[in-house]
Amino acid sequence: MPSAIEAIEALATGFATTFKHLFRRPITEPYPEYKRPLPERSRARIVLTRDPDGQERCVACYLCSAVCPVSCISMQSVEREDGRRYAAWFRINFARCIYCGLCEEACPTAAIQLTPDFEHCERDILKMVAEKDDLLVDHCGKDTAYNFYKYAGVSTDVGDKGTHVKEDKPVNVKSNMP
Amino acid sequence: MPNLIIDDLPIEVEPGTKVIEAAERLGIIIPRFCFHPALGSVGACRVCAVKFLQGPFEGVQMSCMIDALDGMVISTTDAQAVDFRRHVIEWLMLNHPHDCPVCDEGGHCLLQDMTVAGGHCIRRYKGSKRTHHDQYLGPLLQHEMNRCIQCYRCSRYYQGFAGYKDLGVMRSAAQVYFGRQDDGVLQNPFSGNLADICPTGVYTDKPSRFKGRRWDFERTPSICINCSLGCNVTVSARHREVVRQEARFNDKINGHFICDRGRYGFAYVNAADRPRRAMVGGRPADIDDVLLEARSRLARTMAEFGPQSVAAVGPLRGSLETQAALAQLSEAAGWHSPAFYVDPKAAEIAAMATARLEDKFTVSLRGIEGADVILAVGSDPVNEAPMLALAMRQAVRRGGHAAVIDSRSPTLPFEHEYLPVAVFELDVAVGRLVNFLCEDVDTQQLPAHAAAFVDECRKLPDGRFDVYLQAIARRLLAARQPVVVCGSDIVEPATVALCADVVLLLHHMGIDGKLFYTLKSANAFGAARLGSPAANVASVLRSVERGTVKALVVVEKDLHSEFPDHERLKQALAQLDLLVVIHYLDISLASRADYFLPATTIYETGGLYLNQEGRLQTAPAAVAGGRPIQQTGGGAHPPRQYNRGIPGDTPQEAWRLLLQLCGEQPAREPLLHRLEDTFATPGALTGASPVPPEGMRVGHAVNGVAPFHHDWQAALARHEQLSRDGQMLLVTVAQTFGTEPLSCRSPWLEALTPPATVRMALETATQLQLAAGDQVVLDIKPQPLTLPVVIEIGMAANVLALPRVAPHRMARRHFLLTRNRIKKVDAP
Ligand code: SF4
Ligand code: SF4
Ligand code: SF4
Ligand code: SF4
Ligand code: FES
């Protein structure tokens, strides 16, 4: 007996909710005529951002490609004259990417970032394979301050030994003074 | 034997075993930075702390510093020990740079692993980090000193294990620095091992810099074929490119390390100019068509001129399969037996060395470390078989004594006695040694032929080195484990036989002497067994010139770089009806051949190899064939196209091509049977059990070469040749870098190769009225050479040494020169 009453109660609440909505203003958005601004951290199309000083952030450390569960990132790392490590080429196969955001989480330099731009769809699958030129943007993305080479110990155009954040002057090995 | 308990598991170990090793035997890997099985313990890093619960020690102690003793009860997981290790990691990180993303060690870094394992992730220390300047250390290693954790492995390896002095430790306390006095190229031909043993990213491999992370590499066990020792390596490949080689432990051969020739000698496999297409008369063609056409041409030549009109030239450092295919096909078709050696003497020497190496004489490379007396005859280890030098050094470090009898004043990283004896005088010197060995021996006790031999040695005239030879003989007689090392590069066949006789004589005298030959190259052993000593390239060329050989099949051999008389070679080859070349390098012969077939390297298809000890090892394929992506993409991103094929994957194993060339099924099984027959080891290759990881000895001695047979007349005549007519002996010699044909294609080693010079003792130079730095013209065939003179202290008199570096890469080993054929070039 109590179960019959519960069932009726549940049905009634359901119908009541539906009935209430009949008198609300509709919230359907006529996409693509109207494009709703998405939260900054929603996860879609991936970009490679730059340092505040405009240099490529990605040091081609291979971490994002290692963490990617569908193995859609590949790259080749090389060294620049001034000691910077960067990607000679960097490729993301968006046809395979599942937009999980793990690459962004793994990235130690804040280079790779997912953006809200989800609208890309192609008939030719090769057009979904993005190269470095397609990925590189000229802004910092969500992190406007971080510059990896200011914190690392290696010498680059950003700084020599002993000039990075919280570093002592290099030891003079030819002296015995403490 | 101590009995102890580690983490509740009982174990019994030999006295002197450290606790860290005892635990390892139980499968418990205690963290370590400074401890290394080849370098021992120093207790520098403190990360191996464990808790001793019962027994002679109590509390938290370093497991690498304490010998396992009876009654110990140890916990590696005790909270106090774990906490201690966690703190060690944290303090090691205080000064560590924020480098992982740009550090090539990342991914296989011991420090990274331990940091993650210890759970240290947030930096609590608020102070600043000490920093260091880095040094330029040459083309092989990159230095990044900030990352050091002061484990001292590098300096212990460099100075202690390897015996070179130009890298070490400076300053004290937190400012300790590992490097050189000043920037400069490392002087150690085994320096690449630093990248393997440094547990952090201080020394990283330069040629593979930034080429990828360990997890992206296809890693395959393989064998080094840059000399006859056959050290074990691990090959790392990525994107169809071999990017790095590391040492792989083999308890019987190289131990934990390899030399730089082996480590960095692989560049040829990735070379952009490697021929990857079959060719007809220099024009690319489909490989199946080429095979078909070449096959019918070959058949026609045989039909017209008989099978003896075909000769084959084969590789020394090719796989055993290729050598067996050559031997089998030549035999079946009735061709000349295949020629593997260019120089007739070299073939004879190899045949002698492999025939005389009896089972009871053999000692592995690692076994040399246990020798108490080593006598090296006609051997220059660092230049001919580099890792031999390190093995000899370990013997000397353990109290052994080493004596070297050679002409070249070899530079060796250990203390040794050296007798400067000219190549042609070696036999007589060894004969005198036999005389001293048998001073107190009653020849009646010896077998008849041995007795006769000793009697002849007793008749040899006194020599300059008698005092030293007598001392060496005494040492040999008192030795527990003496080893005679004999080089095969510059000596005479007789010397090789004499060394075996010395060892056999020691056995007759109840001393367990060992014999260690080095051969000309990897698989020279196989070539010696599968080819006939009478067959050599020089005799093949003579037959071509006479017109008896009409068709020549050249397999993996670069005649141009080995045969110095290019004019003669060219004319001889022009006389041929048919020239088929199979090779994996861009040799000049490739485009001149009627038919060219591209072969694969050991990296692409692996193979079986025999080292100088007759030890059989197998190498699997390490990288799929095809042009590296680096090349197909021109350095930028890989091509944007889908296709099924791999560009440039036409090459096949040379033996496969050979069999097809002769119309046979390209099957490996029959070749293995053939090899089993040759080495009289039925079932060793085709049986169920695979070749064991440390290899197995299959190259047993062959009967039919009589010991103690020596032509002393000839030896004495050779001996006098130099002193009598004032002749000079020009010897062409090997050099660690620049003379081995595969590794000399490596740009990194090329940068380390010293320019060609002619070296001689001061007294020789004075006789010739030469001084260091003079240019001298050597009037030799086929063309005279002009070279700068270098004075080498300690070289034998009347001997000139010329490294076989390009462009003087010649097969001929000796030239006897009268003085008027050695002329100084006057400054303009
Ligand atoms: S993780 Fe970041 S820095 Fe590393 S390769 Fe990817 S994008 Fe570049
Ligand atoms: S040495 Fe190891 S821990 Fe240090 S930066 Fe390199 S990878 Fe990271
Ligand atoms: S450089 Fe490497 S091997 Fe040498 S002490 Fe430092 S961490 Fe150890
Ligand atoms: S010693 Fe010989 S086999 Fe060993 S690594 Fe060096 S070249 Fe290779
Ligand atoms: S491994 Fe024991 S102190 Fe370093």
Side-chain angles (χ1 to χ4, degrees):
Chain A
M1 207 51 183
S3 63
I5 296 173
E6 270 170 29
I8 293 166
E9 220 176 76
L11 270 177
T13 5
F15 277 117
T17 312
T18 316
F19 191 72
K20 263 194 281 173
H21 276 267
L22 281 176
F23 303 100
R24 282 240 184 118
R25 276 187 51 194
I27 55 164
T28 312
E29 285 160 1
Y31 177 85
E33 292 79 15
Y34 173 71
K35 292 184 178 173
R36 186 216 279 215
L38 292 174
E40 197 187 24
R41 59 190 178 76
S42 44
R43 301 191 312 261
R45 193 186 161 76
I46 299 172
V47 294
L48 288 174
T49 62
R50 288 178 189 269
D51 279 340
D53 58 8
Q55 301 267 18
E56 281 172 33
R57 252 179 186 161
C58 172
V59 298
C61 67
Y62 299 99
L63 286 180
C64 50
S65 74
V67 78
C68 177
V70 291
S71 299
C72 70
I73 308 181
S74 50
M75 76 193 81
Q76 181 59 55
S77 170
V78 283
E79 188 173 12
R80 213 167 74 173
E81 291 268 293
D82 57 14
R84 264 185 186 254
R85 178 174 166 145
Y86 74 103
W89 54 268
F90 193 110
R91 175 181 277 187
I92 300 182
N93 183 350
F94 282 120
R96 223 197 278 170
C97 176
I98 55 166
Y99 306 99
C100 63
L102 286 182
C103 51
E104 178 166 354
E105 212 171 298
C107 182
T109 66
I112 199 166
Q113 297 183 11
L114 279 79
T115 67
D117 171 18
F118 62 88
E119 297 167 297
H120 52 308
C121 159
E122 301 285 349
R123 283 188 184 278
D124 177 5
I125 206 162
L126 203 54
K127 288 198 182 142
M128 299 289 281
V129 177
E131 305 293 352
K132 188 170 142 186
D133 282 346
D134 311 322
L135 298 167
L136 206 58
V137 293
D138 53 7
H139 55 77
C140 301
K142 286 168 272 189
D143 190 327
T144 51
Y146 192 64
N147 183 345
F148 170 77
Y149 283 115
K150 283 201 171 128
Y151 296 88
V154 292
S155 300
T156 60
D157 58 329
V158 177
D160 214 337
K161 300 275 164 174
T163 65
H164 305 105
V165 175
K166 284 229 164 145
E167 274 188 355
D168 292 337
K169 275 221 189 64
V171 172
N172 174 7
V173 287
K174 303 261 169 90
S175 149
N176 262 335
M177 298 304 285
Chain B
M1 297 254 274
N3 261 302
L4 65 164
I5 294 173
I6 305 176
D7 287 351
D8 299 332
L9 300 167
I11 182 153
E12 188 177 342
V13 293
E14 304 81 64
T17 310
K18 300 288 181 208
V19 171
I20 197 169
E21 293 171 293
E24 201 168 326
R25 237 170 275 175
L26 284 168
I28 303 166
I29 307 292
I30 300 173
R32 79 279 310 271
F33 291 126
C34 62
F35 176 79
H36 187 285
L39 308 176
S41 318
V42 279
C45 73
R46 318 311 279 173
V47 83
C48 65
V50 295
K51 180 114 173 229
F52 288 70
L53 304 172
Q54 279 173 36
F57 294 92
E58 297 231 338
V60 173
Q61 302 277 356
M62 297 309 120
S63 61
C64 73
M65 295 300 284
I66 292 178
D67 285 349
L69 297 174
D70 240 351
M72 282 180 163
V73 178
I74 295 159
S75 165
T76 67
T77 53
D78 180 274
Q80 209 187 342
V82 171
D83 192 51
F84 185 97
R85 298 201 295 258
R86 207 199 321 272
H87 280 90
V88 171
I89 292 289
E90 191 167 357
W91 90 50
L92 286 178
M93 277 308 196
L94 293 188
N95 284 319
H96 203 75
H98 187 65
D99 272 1
C100 290
V102 291
C103 173
D104 249 354
E105 193 80 357
H108 59 280
C109 174
L110 206 52
L111 179 60
Q112 206 176 38
D113 292 353
M114 289 306 127
T115 310
V116 173
H120 173 62
C121 54
I122 304 287
R123 187 174 173 82
R124 293 192 290 165
Y125 179 64
K126 298 281 180 260
S128 51
K129 299 176 181 179
R130 78 90 181 88
T131 62
H132 283 299
H133 283 301
D134 306 325
Q135 288 181 328
Y136 169 77
L137 299 178
L140 305 181
L141 291 172
Q142 180 82 20
H143 194 219
E144 190 69 45
M145 192 51 210
N146 282 349
R147 298 174 190 155
C148 176
I149 54 165
Q150 298 89 36
C151 71
Y152 288 75
R153 273 194 192 181
C154 54
S155 55
R156 282 146 71 210
Y157 164 75
Y158 205 90
Q159 306 203 348
F161 193 93
Y164 289 81
K165 304 285 174 233
D166 63 313
L167 181 136
V169 52
M170 288 173 258
R171 288 224 67 171
S172 62
Q175 304 184 322
V176 173
Y177 187 91
F178 295 83
R180 287 167 50 89
Q181 176 78 10
D182 289 301
D183 284 36
V185 179
L186 293 171
Q187 298 302 303
N188 182 344
F190 308 94
S191 63
N193 292 312
L194 289 176
D196 286 2
I197 54 158
C198 176
T200 72
V202 174
Y203 308 100
T204 48
D205 190 77
K206 220 180 210 175
S208 68
R209 187 160 164 80
F210 299 168
K211 290 238 166 136
R213 294 277 179 216
R214 174 67 60 94
W215 60 68
D216 279 335
F217 291 160
E218 299 165 71
R219 286 161 56 77
T220 318
S222 190
I223 309 161
C224 172
I225 55 168
N226 296 127
C227 87
S228 61
L229 298 178
C231 297
N232 287 198
V233 295
T234 301
V235 178
S236 289
R238 177 171 175 261
H239 290 173
R240 300 199 292 260
E241 180 180 350
V242 174
V243 292
R244 183 175 179 185
Q245 269 189 156
E246 288 150 278
R248 180 165 62 91
F249 181 74
N250 184 316
D251 197 21
K252 288 283 186 280
I253 305 179
N254 53 314
H256 291 89
F257 305 111
I258 53 172
C259 78
D260 290 350
R261 186 206 279 182
R263 184 180 297 265
Y264 299 106
F266 63 83
Y268 69 94
V269 58
N270 303 325
D273 55 10
R274 255 188 73 188
R276 296 187 184 270
R277 305 205 50 185
M279 291 190 280
V280 178
R283 283 181 315 281
D286 184 76
I287 188 160
D288 293 323
D289 297 344
V290 177
L291 272 168
L292 217 60
E293 216 179 295
R295 187 173 137 193
S296 65
R297 281 276 303 273
L298 200 58
R300 225 184 305 150
T301 310
M302 275 165 56
E304 197 171 330
F305 301 101
Q308 279 284 314
S309 63
V310 183
V313 170
L316 287 186
R317 51 184 75 66
S319 66
L320 273 183
E321 289 95 327
T322 299
Q323 293 175 343
L326 266 173
Q328 178 146 319
L329 292 172
S330 308
E331 215 172 83
W335 303 349
H336 283 264
S337 76
F340 292 105
Y341 285 88
V342 176
D343 180 72
K345 275 274 179 63
E348 203 182 319
I349 290 171
M352 179 63 79
T354 59
R356 291 297 305 272
L357 197 58
E358 290 180 38
D359 286 353
K360 61 175 188 250
F361 296 169
T362 46
V363 56
S364 65
L365 180 61
R366 211 74 205 299
I368 290 189
E369 295 183 4
D372 54 352
V373 176
I374 300 174
L375 169 65
V377 180
S379 167
D380 180 356
V382 173
N383 288 313
E384 292 176 349
M387 281 304 288
L388 172 59
L390 285 199
M392 287 167 77
R393 174 170 169 83
Q394 305 323 309
V396 172
R397 283 177 87 200
R398 290 177 196 169
H401 182 271
V404 179
I405 308 184
D406 193 60
S407 317
R408 292 164 281 188
S409 180
T411 312
L412 293 170
F414 51 86
E415 220 176 284
H416 63 281
E417 191 180 337
Y418 165 65
L419 306 187
V421 178
V423 188
F424 284 0
E425 300 170 356
L426 278 173
D427 294 1
V428 178
V430 178
R432 288 296 288 166
L433 178 76
V434 171
N435 167 52
F436 294 122
L437 273 178
C438 301
E439 257 176 350
D440 303 325
V441 171
D442 176 9
T443 42
Q444 304 291 314
Q445 311 292 326
L446 294 174
H449 51 322
F453 171 74
V454 172
D455 283 338
E456 285 191 70
C457 289
R458 284 180 174 160
K459 285 187 220 135
L460 291 171
D462 294 355
R464 277 175 295 161
F465 299 108
D466 282 358
V467 191
Y468 305 100
L469 290 170
Q470 194 167 20
I472 294 172
R474 286 218 190 96
R475 277 186 210 280
L476 283 172
L477 289 174
R480 171 186 45 80
Q481 166 79 281
V483 175
V484 176
V485 172
C486 177
S488 67
D489 201 31
I490 66 166
V491 299
E492 290 291 296
T495 318
V496 171
L498 263 179
C499 285
D501 292 335
V502 169
V503 177
L504 186 55
L505 205 57
L506 287 176
H507 276 256
H508 284 319
M509 291 152 76
I511 299 165
D512 185 20
K514 301 288 181 196
L515 181 58
F516 192 89
Y517 287 121
T518 59
L519 299 179
K520 199 157 169 59
S521 78
N523 248 359
F525 202 112
R529 283 298 168 80
L530 288 153
S532 113
N536 55 67
V537 175
S539 72
V540 168
L541 278 192
R542 272 197 300 279
S543 311
V544 174
E545 282 165 346
R546 276 203 304 273
T548 48
V549 164
K550 297 280 184 199
L552 185 63
V553 182
V554 179
V555 184
E556 295 182 354
K557 199 161 205 82
D558 187 358
L559 291 181
H560 259 103
S561 76
E562 289 194 59
F563 201 81
D565 197 342
H566 290 178
E567 204 41 49
R568 182 173 159 209
L569 186 67
K570 201 169 144 194
Q571 278 171 12
L573 295 180
Q575 260 175 277
L576 283 170
D577 279 0
L578 176 62
L579 175 62
V580 182
V581 174
I582 300 176
H583 212 310
Y584 48 81
L585 294 177
D586 72 317
I587 53 165
S588 43
L589 222 52
S591 53
R592 207 175 304 162
D594 297 312
Y595 300 100
F596 174 81
L597 296 160
T600 51
T601 63
I602 179 175
Y603 296 105
E604 284 134 5
T605 37
L608 291 166
Y609 288 82
L610 270 183
N611 79 350
Q612 37 62 247
E613 188 203 347
R615 188 178 289 275
L616 178 79
Q617 301 191 84
T618 160
V623 57
R627 292 177 64 210
I629 284 183
Q630 172 72 18
Q631 284 166 28
T632 54
H637 59 72
R640 292 177 65 83
Q641 45 188 257
Y642 298 109
N643 55 34
R644 279 161 205 280
I646 295 174
D649 68 344
T650 323
Q652 298 180 16
E653 292 104 318
W655 58 264
R656 213 178 272 279
L657 293 169
L658 265 171
L659 290 173
Q660 293 173 75
L661 185 65
C662 296
E664 308 227 352
Q665 275 303 316
R668 188 161 171 260
E669 195 85 359
L671 299 179
L672 299 183
H673 284 299
R674 159 88 204 203
L675 287 167
E676 285 173 350
D677 289 350
T678 306
F679 296 105
T681 47
L685 299 173
T686 51
S689 49
V691 179
E694 71 278 0
M696 63 179 172
R697 245 200 116 234
V698 299
H700 305 292
V702 278
N703 297 329
V705 185
F708 300 123
H709 249 297
H710 206 66
D711 184 353
W712 286 110
Q713 238 47 46
L716 283 168
R718 266 203 302 278
H719 179 87
E720 274 162 21
Q721 228 160 1
L722 293 186
S723 43
R724 200 183 46 223
D725 335 319
Q727 302 218 75
M728 293 284 165
L729 184 66
L730 176 68
V731 193
T732 67
V733 299
Q735 196 171 273
T736 317
F737 306 129
T739 60
E740 190 277 327
L742 294 179
S743 64
C744 71
R745 290 183 177 242
S746 150
W748 319 297
L749 297 184
E750 203 182 343
L752 295 175
T753 306
T757 54
V758 56
R759 306 198 312 255
M760 61 192 82
L762 186 59
E763 54 171 306
T764 316
T766 318
Q767 276 183 41
L768 292 168
Q769 293 168 342
L770 293 170
D774 282 352
Q775 291 284 329
V776 66
V777 184
L778 305 173
D779 180 18
I780 56 171
K781 287 213 174 107
Q783 75 253 37
L785 300 178
T786 309
L787 294 159
V789 171
V790 166
I791 304 292
E792 183 89 37
I793 307 292
M795 262 188 66
N798 303 335
V799 176
L800 313 182
L802 165 68
R804 290 189 285 264
V805 292
H808 318 304
R809 202 166 282 138
M810 50 192 70
R812 182 145 167 213
R813 304 164 331 124
H814 309 143
F815 298 83
L816 262 176
L817 296 179
T818 49
R819 284 180 203 190
N820 55 7
R821 288 169 66 197
I822 305 169
K823 286 204 202 82
K824 182 176 158 182
V825 183
D826 294 318

